[in-house]
Amino acid sequence: MKHYEVEILDAKTREKLCFLDKVEPHATIAEIKNLFTKNHPQWYPARQSLRLDPKGKSLKDEDVLQKLPVGTTATLYFRDLGAQISWVTVFLTEYAGPLFIYLLFYFRVPFIYGHKYDFTSSRHNVVHLACLCHSFHYIKRLLETLFVHRFSHGTMPLRNIFKNCTYYWGFAAWMAYYINHPLYTPPTYGAQQIKLALAIFVICQLGNFSIHMALRDLRPAGSKTRKIPYPTKNPFTWLFLLVSCPNYTYEVGSWIGFAIMTQCLPVALFSLVGFTQMTIWAKGKHRSYLKEFRDYPPLRMPIIPFLL
């Protein structure tokens, strides 16, 4: 069996960082990363991006050396991705924060609304309903992170946790401040508006969970295989007929329902910002589906049926 020699250069400076001798032809990029770590322990595998061209795309961990367009002496380029943190840790942190922060405002802990309102309770039922809905949403997200989601990437850059937490925690505090404020006024159309909004919220939460379960069943545990998601017997998954990312469609719908229920401007802005970001993610996933699967259903749009 003919072995490979692998030379690893710094993508920026072209400095030689490592030379690996007698590498097995069927070695994967993940195995090469482990060998590289032995020479440079400060760069653990999750921090490494190895590529064939200094400005090219990162090679996948499952790529096999002998199947790459290289000779028996292969040159790979290394880029440091920076300190990494697991997706699970990031999700748990960014979702636990809003749950805790919102409750601080709901229970009106001291130093928020003034001494005379400390630990008082709102006289409006919608305020208590909003707290239940908000808490349910983030408890659901926490449980899904622990028991439902399967991540194709194990880690993300550490800096992302600060950005994500600023977004989620900041908006949670902003909307909670106004919804739980002693001077808060209930929705204009009263009980009818609240019931309609609650129905939208509950349906979209059930839909979002159904899509997450369908996506989970699509990827076996420990696998990175990608398949085209299709509707199942669950009616909430039938939205797959029209959009590539119905989990985002339902998520946006949940926050629209919450905005209608509370009639609160910060919630509406949070919904708009979230919709903008999820549209970007949905378009990216939609493009990758079209690129990867030739038989991808042509009727589907990224996030909004027939429109977007």
Side-chain angles (χ1 to χ4, degrees), residues 89-105 134 138 141-142 160-177 255 266 270:
T89 303
V90 172
F91 276 19
L92 292 178
T93 306
E94 67 187 37
Y95 297 156
L99 177 64
F100 177 70
I101 288 167
Y102 193 99
L103 291 174
L104 292 178
F105 289 88
H134 189 274
Y138 281 105
R141 281 193 171 192
L142 289 166
N160 283 15
I161 196 169
F162 302 106
K163 179 180 68 178
N164 292 13
C165 286
T166 300
Y167 168 70
Y168 281 105
W169 296 18
F171 263 113
W174 192 24
M175 65 176 77
Y177 176 82
W255 285 108
F270 180 67

Side-chain angles (χ1 to χ4, degrees), residues 36 48 178 188 252 285:
F36 181 63
Q48 299 174 33
Y178 286 102
T188 306
V252 172
K285 288 189 178 185

Side-chain angles (χ1 to χ4, degrees), residues 227-261:
K227 299 176 187 174
I228 299 174
Y230 285 105
T232 66
K233 292 178 182 178
N234 181 341
F236 288 109
T237 66
W238 296 352
L239 198 52
F240 269 127
L241 293 169
L242 300 174
V243 294
S244 294
C245 301
N247 50 324
Y248 295 153
T249 312
Y250 283 125
E251 178 76 10
V252 172
S254 294
W255 285 108
I256 290 173
F258 194 69
I260 295 169
M261 180 192 298

Side-chain angles (χ1 to χ4, degrees), residues 42-264:
Q42 74 274 26
W43 292 319
Y44 45 89
R47 281 190 76 144
Q48 299 174 33
S49 165
L50 296 179
R51 47 194 79 185
L52 295 172
D53 183 83
K55 295 180 180 177
K57 287 186 176 180
S58 296
L59 295 167
K60 296 176 182 176
D61 281 353
E62 57 269 26
D63 286 341
V64 178
L65 186 58
Q66 66 182 356
K67 292 183 179 178
L68 296 174
V70 295
T72 51
T73 301
T75 301
L76 300 179
Y77 295 90
F78 163 81
R79 189 177 288 272
D80 181 13
L81 296 175
Q84 300 288 299
I85 187 169
S86 78
W87 277 84
V88 172
T89 303
V90 172
F91 276 19
L92 292 178
T93 306
E94 67 187 37
Y95 297 156
L99 177 64
F100 177 70
I101 288 167
Y102 193 99
L103 291 174
L104 292 178
F105 289 88
Y106 175 73
F107 290 113
R108 295 178 178 171
V109 297
F111 312 114
I112 294 180
Y113 298 118
H115 182 64
K116 70 175 182 176
Y117 296 113
D118 290 353
F119 299 113
T120 57
S121 181
S122 174
R123 58 191 173 88
H124 303 300
N125 288 332
V126 67
V127 172
H128 308 301
L129 180 63
C131 182
L132 282 173
C133 290
H134 189 274
S135 299
F136 173 82
H137 176 75
Y138 281 105
I139 289 170
K140 168 185 162 292
R141 281 193 171 192
L142 289 166
L143 292 174
E144 285 177 336
T145 300
L146 291 171
F147 303 111
V148 177
H149 293 321
R150 287 175 177 156
F151 301 101
S152 55
H153 300 286
T155 64
M156 67 161 72
L158 179 63
R159 63 181 176 273
N160 283 15
I161 196 169
F162 302 106
K163 179 180 68 178
N164 292 13
C165 286
T166 300
Y167 168 70
Y168 281 105
W169 296 18
F171 263 113
W174 192 24
M175 65 176 77
Y177 176 82
Y178 286 102
I179 295 170
N180 298 289
H181 198 285
L183 300 179
Y184 170 79
T185 52
T188 306
Y189 298 101
Q192 285 184 316
Q193 182 173 335
I194 294 165
K195 286 176 184 176
L196 172 65
L198 179 62
I200 294 170
F201 180 85
V202 171
I203 289 167
C204 288
Q205 286 289 284
L206 289 171
N208 181 263
F209 176 73
S210 299
I211 299 301
H212 285 161
M213 289 301 295
L215 292 173
R216 178 185 187 274
D217 294 339
L218 207 62
R219 176 181 288 161
S223 164
K224 291 187 178 180
T225 41
R226 280 163 59 86
K227 299 176 187 174
I228 299 174
Y230 285 105
T232 66
K233 292 178 182 178
N234 181 341
F236 288 109
T237 66
W238 296 352
L239 198 52
F240 269 127
L241 293 169
L242 300 174
V243 294
S244 294
C245 301
N247 50 324
Y248 295 153
T249 312
Y250 283 125
E251 178 76 10
V252 172
S254 294
W255 285 108
I256 290 173
F258 194 69
I260 295 169
M261 180 192 298
T262 57
Q263 201 170 295
C264 180

